Amino acid sequence: MKKKILCIGMILVMAMVALTGCKIKNYDSNVVDINNGEDGIKLGYVNFVFKYTQAGYDINYGSTYGTKLWTDDMTGTGQPFSEEVKNNVVETLEKQYIIKKHADELGVKITEDDKTKIDEATKKFLSENTSSTLNAMGADEDVVRQMLTDMTYVSKVEKALEARGKAEGAINDTTNANTYVNNVVATWENGYDFKVDDKLLSQITVEDMFATSASASAASAATTTNSTQGK
């Protein structure tokens, strides 16, 4: 299993798993403060992306590792895999936030066609999962649409940056597209101060998904993006 476990780019799959549980408290509180209260990333959204990510890992690796997947140190970081995934989810959402903020300067917009596809994928996700699954994931129309919108921004910004890098000659035999994009995003990142509320973040826990979902399966991709991490 790769040490870098979560990419900015993701593929939306339908969870299709049986879950129990309820939504976390402080759903609308900012678990990530951005630039001293200028903005923030809500706990409910981080929780949904984490549970969605967990579902993907359980579907792909649960039969091999069982519950040890989440309780053991799987990649040599000295912490349970659940904590590593949680931290990487936060890091990924911070980078998505930055990328979306800089989309305008690259002429990147969400088109009406994009919105239509996002709406269709959102409705499909909500309709193909049970109410108990959606409740345990903290999944509602707003967070599913937000995730898909942010992924679409990332995909389009990455493509725009790659085109710019090639036009400027910055992407060549020694500097590939991923390195160029990562370097640009790292430069943007200098303009943001992210502070994570660890107490709020600790509310996000692993649900017992795989154990109750022997028939779990991934549905077809609703949208795909290129990754700026993990390659």
Side-chain angles (χ1 to χ4, degrees), residues 17-228:
V17 294
L19 291 161
T20 58
C22 58
K23 286 187 178 180
I24 55 175
K25 298 178 181 178
N26 305 308
Y27 190 83
D28 292 323
S29 298
N30 287 333
V31 69
V32 181
D33 175 86
I34 302 173
N35 292 346
N36 296 315
E38 179 182 302
D39 208 345
I41 302 174
K42 295 187 182 302
L43 179 62
Y45 183 52
V46 177
N47 178 66
F48 166 67
V49 177
F50 173 78
K51 296 291 173 61
Y52 168 80
T53 304
Q54 187 206 330
Y57 277 112
D58 278 331
I59 288 168
N60 288 300
Y61 300 108
S63 61
T64 301
Y65 297 103
T67 57
K68 288 184 178 181
L69 174 63
W70 299 105
T71 59
D72 288 10
D73 176 6
M74 302 299 293
T75 60
T77 62
Q79 61 184 335
F81 190 57
S82 58
E83 291 302 308
E84 185 177 359
V85 172
K86 190 189 302 184
N87 292 333
N88 279 338
V89 164
V90 171
E91 179 184 337
T92 295
L93 297 185
E94 290 172 352
K95 290 183 183 297
Q96 286 182 346
Y97 178 90
I98 294 168
I99 286 172
K100 189 164 62 173
K101 282 291 185 180
H102 288 266
D104 280 347
E105 64 191 62
L106 293 166
V108 171
K109 305 287 185 184
I110 297 296
T111 66
E112 290 303 315
D113 183 54
D114 292 329
K115 291 178 182 178
T116 297
K117 291 178 180 178
I118 289 169
D119 285 343
E120 290 174 350
T122 298
K123 291 175 182 176
K124 183 177 177 64
F125 183 90
L126 295 173
S127 67
E128 293 194 1
N129 285 282
T130 66
S131 59
S132 60
T133 295
L134 296 174
N135 186 57
M137 294 182 77
D140 58 28
E141 189 172 332
D142 288 340
V143 295
V144 176
R145 181 177 286 108
Q146 182 180 349
M147 185 175 74
L148 285 167
T149 300
D150 289 353
M151 290 194 302
T152 302
Y153 267 114
V154 169
S155 178
K156 298 182 82 165
V157 166
E158 286 179 336
K159 290 176 182 177
L161 283 175
E162 184 173 349
R164 189 180 79 178
K166 289 179 178 178
E168 294 174 348
I171 296 175
N172 47 49
D173 292 338
T174 57
T175 302
N176 63 30
N178 287 334
T179 299
Y180 175 78
V181 171
N182 281 331
N183 288 341
V184 172
V185 174
T187 300
W188 288 343
E189 196 169 358
N190 292 329
Y192 298 86
D193 178 43
F194 297 101
K195 288 186 173 64
V196 179
D197 187 327
D198 291 327
K199 186 175 181 180
L200 282 179
L201 190 63
S202 67
Q203 289 190 46
I204 299 176
T205 58
V206 173
E207 296 287 346
D208 186 13
M209 289 197 240
F210 188 82
T212 56
S213 57
S215 61
S217 62
S220 59
T223 185
T224 59
T225 68
N226 294 321
S227 170
T228 58

